[in-house]
Amino acid sequence: MYNLTFAEIVKRPSPDLILAALLLAKELAYPQLSVGHYLRRLDDLADRATKRIRLNDSTAVRAELLSDFLFKQEQFRGNTAVYDDPRNSYLNEVLDRRRGIPISLSLIYLAVADRLHLPAFGIGLPGHFIVGVSVPGDTLFFDPFHGGGRLSAADCARLVELTIGYSGAFQQEWLAAVSPRDILMRMLNNLRIIFMQRHQWPEAIAVVERMRQIQPDNPYHLRELGVIYYQTGEMHRAANYLQAYLQKEPDAADLETIREGIADALERWVRQN
């Protein structure tokens, strides 16, 4: 199982989120990473959690105790000092350093909750990621980045306002469970933004290629690759990706800009050769 690639995992009807996240770290940054080692680390966390969480407790009590165990006793916490450190997005680093961003810390909760048979799921609020746990007739919300505390629906609305400055009506669909593929896309997009801002083009290319593996029919990944290859000076590849983008999006809003980019890239490629 550990010899599978990220692409093979995400093609499955129900991809294993935690396995995919570890394979992502292995392929993007840590080629010697032992996936089995980190899965055993999560097993160990779950074993230690069971010593503090009684099976006959209610789901609500067990969910709160797990949050307390992970974010107080085990001291997993948000990396507020260096939020844009790429290591915050790699599950192996989060396990090693006990520091992360909202989505990666939520993955730790989800992984251990799954081992404890708790009905937990990820929630992708605009600008912030949290965890939900289904209880009879209700849903509990937890914020792993801010110490694992309980949130009300009103707290979630305030989080959105504080994070992205949104002051409109809160959308209840924001509290819906997020699929494993959408979680992986959000993790990859975080890395894409970091690497683009840092002009780390090879890393950005590797990230966008994995985004394509999840969403092979999304034309905007072709556009992104064209832009990145333009930045690296690989003009022929840039032109090819931008042309492929326009073939899929002939009525794109940025049609003329992309056409100008293709012409410029090909002109530069001719001069290079």
Side-chain angles (χ1 to χ4, degrees), residues 68-196:
D68 183 79
F69 170 73
L70 290 173
F71 305 114
K72 293 184 173 58
Q73 296 177 40
E74 292 295 319
Q75 298 188 343
F76 285 93
R77 63 186 63 177
N79 190 347
T80 55
V82 194
Y83 190 89
D84 64 349
D85 186 335
R87 293 178 296 177
N88 293 330
S89 293
Y90 296 127
L91 197 56
N92 59 311
E93 287 281 6
V94 179
L95 282 164
D96 288 341
R97 300 167 65 236
R98 281 172 161 62
R99 297 291 183 275
I101 54 176
I103 194 166
S104 58
L105 292 169
S106 294
L107 255 63
I108 300 293
Y109 187 101
L110 295 176
V112 179
D114 181 63
R115 286 160 170 77
L116 300 182
H117 307 293
L118 278 170
F121 54 91
I123 296 174
L125 295 174
H128 197 74
F129 203 92
I130 61 173
V131 166
V133 178
S134 298
V135 298
D138 200 3
T139 300
L140 306 182
F141 306 112
F142 296 93
D143 184 358
F145 187 77
H146 295 111
R150 276 276 303 276
L151 299 171
S152 65
D155 293 330
C156 293
R158 281 192 291 271
L159 263 178
V160 172
E161 182 177 0
L162 289 171
T163 306
I164 66 170
Y166 175 83
S167 57
F170 186 81
Q171 308 297 312
Q172 286 301 312
E173 57 264 30
W174 291 342
L175 297 175
V178 182
S179 74
R181 285 188 182 83
D182 286 341
I183 293 174
L184 293 166
M185 281 297 297
R186 188 158 172 159
M187 294 176 71
L188 283 163
N189 194 52
N190 288 337
L191 286 167
R192 181 191 67 82
I193 292 169
I194 291 169
F195 292 138
M196 293 283 281

Side-chain angles (χ1 to χ4, degrees), residues 49-67:
T50 57
K51 296 174 182 176
R52 297 168 171 80
I53 301 172
R54 294 179 301 228
L55 290 176
N56 59 344
D57 281 335
S58 68
T59 300
V61 168
R62 292 168 64 219
E64 292 222 37
L65 288 173
L66 177 57
S67 189

